Amino acid sequence: LKGCLAIFGGFIIHFTLGTVYTFGNMNPYLTSYMKFYSKSPEINYPQSTWIFSLSLAGQGFSMALGGLIETRIGARFTALFGSWFMSLGVILSSLTVKSYFVLISLTYGVMFGVGTGVAYSVAIAAAMKWFPSRKGLVGGIVAAGFGGGSLVFNQLQTFYINPDNVKANYTLDGDNYFDQPEILDRVPSCFIVLGSTYAAMQLLGALLLFPVPPVGHSPDDQQQPLILPQSSEEHQHSRQSQEQQQLQLSPRQLVKKPIFWILWLTFLVNAQSLVYISSQYKAYGLYRQFDDHFLAITGSVSSVFNSGTRVVWGLGHDLLGYWRPMLALCTGAAVLLATFYLSSSAAFYFIYVCLMFAFFAGNFALFPAACAKLFGSKFFSVNYGLIFTGNAISAILGAILTSAIKEVFGWLALFITGASFSAAGVVLSLIFLALTRARSGQQEAYNRLEDS
């Protein structure tokens, strides 16, 4: 029971941390407010991407720190500390949105991201330790919360700020902004409502992160509902899998492995398309003249795909391994991004956004599962934090490219650039396959030598 509650607690924490994906919905309100009411009236949508990118960068660079803090104060207090720091950043944004762009970037960007990073992998690891043979499925369930946060909070933001579905009617350089006082006056207080709600949910989630049982206890034997049959691949490489389960690589050992850098690079290139879509899908929808409530609904429904498919991707890892699902993910993301500009109708736009979030979600189920399986669970929080720095660097690169490409070449060029990065992920997935097969062949040769 405590293992299942730990999964639920991690899910709740991730549900609030995942509201980073509500930035795309909040962006038009925030940017419009600052353009008319703040001390940075020059702000536009490409520039505001920096807020989202800094939150991703803060998450990536602080995740390993969360693992180190966990060794001192435990998973429960680390998760609570990180998540409350994130909520504090949201609440303070009610003040900084009235001031300079650099300050809102600090609170809604850096503070949001750093707090998220500290709590993120700790919450996943706390649940995974209860079910060591089902790392992909358990990690996918917890990460589903991260994908599902925008399902509720996109609607809450829009209902609070724009309940009457008022149209953004101020146009500048081809982009549409809100200039109506009845809309903009609600933006600062919305941050207080959001941050306070997050903090209350995070307290409940942290209380449910029960520590793992003592050595000798077999969680899998007592948690039968989560047990699934092993795949044929797992049976075929059972001896190798047992050796990998005993392998516990420290961060210092990890960075010397070529396979780590392949995972890191794959995360980096995959995160590019995530930056473009998560931060700009609503701004692009306004460019296509879709109304605000439709775009909020699109964001919420896409979060269902973002959330639910993480469980599917995680289960896919447990049954098929890492490279097959990752190859499908990168291929699908490349095709969708390359053709996204063709979605001129509301129906096609809705379908494209939902499918893209469904594919992007796989990154956050496949990478933690692969990290735990390949490198062990002892140093998981720190090791996954190191892999996640690829996402952090990609976020900064994405902000630079979004501003440069969108302002000079337009939306189509931005989407094609994202598709190119996803195509690079296809190549890296094949390189991963080649490396693992070579290592498997070496291990089998060694096993035959030992048996002889």
Side-chain angles (χ1 to χ4, degrees):
L1 177 60
K2 287 185 177 181
C4 293
L5 289 176
I7 294 175
F8 184 58
F11 178 91
I12 293 175
I13 291 174
H14 271 242
F15 197 83
T16 62
L17 302 181
T19 56
V20 65
Y21 289 130
T22 66
F23 181 82
N25 184 68
M26 193 71 176
N27 188 15
Y29 307 134
L30 182 156
T31 305
S32 298
Y33 183 93
M34 297 198 73
K35 180 170 285 293
F36 293 104
Y37 288 167
S38 78
K39 297 178 181 179
S40 298
E42 72 283 354
I43 188 174
N44 57 28
Y45 290 132
Q47 291 171 353
S48 64
T49 302
W50 275 101
I51 301 173
F52 178 73
S53 296
L54 286 172
S55 69
L56 294 184
Q59 179 185 356
F61 288 127
S62 65
M63 196 175 292
L65 174 64
L68 295 175
I69 296 175
E70 180 189 10
T71 62
R72 300 294 182 89
I73 64 175
R76 176 176 289 169
F77 289 106
T78 303
L80 185 61
F81 168 74
S83 56
W84 272 6
F85 189 76
M86 164 263 187
S87 295
L88 177 62
V90 176
I91 293 173
L92 291 177
S93 296
S94 65
L95 301 176
T96 58
V97 73
K98 303 174 183 178
S99 186
Y100 295 98
F101 176 68
V102 65
L103 294 181
I104 188 71
S105 298
L106 176 63
T107 58
Y108 204 48
V110 176
M111 286 186 67
F112 195 119
V114 170
T116 298
V118 169
Y120 185 98
S121 61
V122 172
I124 293 179
M128 277 186 174
K129 288 176 181 177
W130 282 89
F131 304 96
S133 66
R134 293 272 71 92
K135 293 181 174 67
L137 178 59
V138 172
I141 293 173
V142 175
F146 200 90
S150 53
L151 169 64
V152 173
F153 289 102
N154 271 345
Q155 294 299 311
L156 177 60
Q157 291 169 356
T158 302
F159 177 78
Y160 187 90
I161 296 175
N162 189 11
D164 299 321
N165 197 21
V166 176
K167 185 177 181 180
N169 61 358
Y170 179 82
T171 302
L172 179 66
D173 297 330
D175 290 324
N176 296 322
Y177 300 88
F178 295 95
D179 63 352
Q180 300 91 332
E182 66 270 21
I183 300 295
L184 302 183
D185 288 345
R186 301 187 185 106
V187 172
S189 59
C190 185
F191 285 113
I192 297 176
V193 172
L194 293 172
S196 301
T197 305
Y198 299 158
M201 296 176 64
Q202 289 157 354
L203 176 60
L204 173 61
L207 291 174
L208 295 177
L209 291 182
F210 294 101
V212 293
V215 177
H217 178 79
S218 178
D220 286 327
D221 292 340
Q222 300 187 16
Q223 306 292 342
Q224 292 297 327
L226 287 179
I227 298 300
L228 295 173
Q230 286 188 320
S231 66
S232 58
E233 180 179 291
E234 288 175 327
H235 281 300
Q236 183 178 357
H237 300 290
S238 59
R239 180 170 183 174
Q240 182 182 352
S241 297
Q242 291 171 0
E243 291 167 353
Q244 286 179 341
Q245 288 174 4
Q246 297 170 359
L247 183 65
Q248 304 290 341
L249 292 182
S250 68
R252 182 173 298 181
Q253 295 170 316
L254 180 74
V255 296
K256 298 178 182 179
K257 300 293 183 180
I259 200 168
F260 162 78
W261 292 106
I262 294 299
L263 292 174
W264 186 88
L265 284 171
T266 307
F267 214 151
L268 188 149
V269 298
N270 284 1
Q272 277 298 292
S273 52
L274 177 65
V275 171
Y276 301 153
I277 298 303
S278 294
S279 65
Q280 298 296 323
Y281 79 89
K282 190 169 185 178
Y284 176 65
L286 292 175
Y287 165 78
R288 288 293 192 183
Q289 301 294 320
F290 303 138
D291 72 74
D292 193 41
H293 279 197
F294 166 75
L295 295 174
I297 292 172
T298 300
S300 292
V301 175
S302 68
S303 73
V304 176
F305 285 82
N306 189 0
S307 174
T309 55
R310 293 185 185 217
V311 180
V312 177
W313 288 110
L315 182 59
H317 175 277
D318 288 340
L319 297 177
L320 302 173
Y322 162 83
W323 74 269
R324 292 182 182 88
M326 181 56 68
L327 187 63
L329 184 156
C330 296
T331 302
V335 171
L336 288 169
L337 278 161
T339 57
F340 185 39
Y341 193 78
L342 301 177
S343 59
S344 57
S345 70
F348 276 105
Y349 171 86
F350 178 87
I351 293 171
Y352 264 83
V353 172
C354 290
L355 287 177
M356 283 190 289
F357 273 99
F359 275 90
F360 300 155
N363 291 297
F364 305 101
L366 295 177
F367 282 114
C371 177
K373 183 176 181 180
L374 291 169
F375 312 127
S377 59
K378 182 177 181 180
F379 304 100
F380 171 81
S381 296
V382 178
N383 288 346
Y384 184 53
L386 292 176
I387 293 176
F388 210 91
T389 58
N391 184 63
I393 293 175
S394 185
I396 298 174
L397 178 62
I400 296 172
L401 292 178
T402 298
S403 299
I405 296 172
K406 164 60 175 61
E407 291 184 355
V408 177
F409 300 105
W411 289 108
L412 177 60
L414 184 67
F415 299 147
I416 294 297
T417 302
S420 300
F421 277 101
S422 294
V426 173
V427 177
L428 288 168
S429 299
L430 295 175
I431 294 175
F432 176 92
L433 172 62
L435 282 176
T436 52
R437 284 188 172 176
R439 189 177 68 171
S440 176
Q442 294 171 356
Q443 185 64 51
E444 289 178 2
Y446 176 80
N447 289 340
R448 288 195 298 269
L449 180 63
E450 286 292 299
D451 293 339
S452 63

